[in-house]
Amino acid sequence: MRRLLLLALSSALFLSACSTAATTQAQPPANDAPNGGHGLATPAPTPVPSIQVTIPPRDADWITFAPYSGGFIAKFPVAPKLTTSTAKTTFGDSTTSLWAYTQDSTLSYYVQATAYPAGPLLSYESSTLYDAAINSLTGGSSGLALSAENDVTLNGYAGKLFLLKNAVGSVKGEVVLAGSTVYIAFVAYTPSVDSGIVDAFLVDFTLSV
């Protein structure tokens, strides 16, 4: 009995397949086929989506830092620490404020503001002050030497962009005189540091005096 049922089911499936094939073969060709009804239609090409590489700003998550009476606006990864000192100089007694943040052994950020008596500065060329400020970063055992420099303008004040190097790293910064205060924004870093981070810090530095 089971064998008869299987034979009947097989026959039904075979007849159904033959009927479907006959129906399919009986369909006439489409009249709107290309090339006068001969050949196959060419499918439209699939559009290729465009892509781009976006480099996020290096300072995207930094904080804006503008100390009261500091005379500048900068961006740091975190709030820097302030130290102050006084000294007797050729230009008179000075007060230096240094804001610093050391990220690790490869990277540190600084803004230094040294205020002098107004009178004595008038008798000196700004370039002399800039050279003295840059040379102050090369003293001691640092072994830093001037590698490059060029003139810049910051918020209408003339200044200098400089690069110092030694055997293990570099210091890149800018120095500018505004009134009787000499400002230096600079970064100390090793070759492993992305130079874009260094430049971002310097570009973000502006005067508010």
Side-chain angles (χ1 to χ4, degrees):
M1 178 65 69
R2 180 177 300 178
R3 184 175 180 183
L4 291 175
L5 289 175
L6 292 176
L7 289 174
L9 179 60
S10 299
S11 299
L13 291 174
F14 176 76
L15 291 174
S16 176
C18 292
S19 175
T20 302
T23 303
T24 303
Q25 293 174 0
Q27 293 178 352
N31 294 327
D32 56 352
N35 302 322
H38 302 284
L40 299 175
T42 303
T46 302
V48 178
S50 61
I51 60 173
Q52 61 182 356
V53 176
T54 301
I55 301 176
R58 272 64 166 193
D59 58 356
D61 56 352
W62 292 4
I63 64 170
T64 299
F65 183 74
Y68 178 75
S69 299
F72 70 90
I73 302 172
K75 282 189 174 183
F76 283 85
V78 300
K81 292 183 178 181
L82 170 64
T83 58
T84 59
S85 61
T86 59
K88 293 184 179 296
T89 71
T90 305
F91 314 110
D93 293 345
S94 66
T95 300
T96 298
S97 300
L98 177 66
W99 292 267
Y101 168 63
T102 299
Q103 180 166 309
D104 52 36
S105 61
T106 68
L107 180 62
S108 297
Y109 306 86
Y110 304 90
V111 174
Q112 178 177 295
T114 302
Y116 298 93
L121 291 184
L122 298 177
S123 60
Y124 289 90
E125 294 288 338
S126 59
S127 59
T128 301
L129 296 173
Y130 297 156
D131 291 341
I134 294 171
N135 289 334
S136 71
L137 301 177
T138 64
S141 59
S142 67
L144 289 166
L146 184 64
S147 175
E149 66 176 0
N150 58 270
D151 296 333
V152 294
T153 301
L154 183 64
N155 300 113
Y157 296 96
K160 276 192 176 182
L161 180 69
F162 62 89
L163 177 64
L164 309 174
K165 288 187 175 183
N166 64 12
V168 296
S170 305
V171 172
K172 187 175 184 179
E174 53 190 353
V175 54
V176 61
L177 172 65
S180 58
T181 302
V182 176
Y183 296 90
I184 314 177
F186 59 101
V187 183
Y189 59 100
T190 63
S192 63
V193 173
D194 178 4
S195 61
I197 295 175
V198 178
D199 291 341
F201 180 76
L202 298 178
V203 169
D204 288 336
F205 179 76
T206 60
L207 298 179
S208 58
V209 293

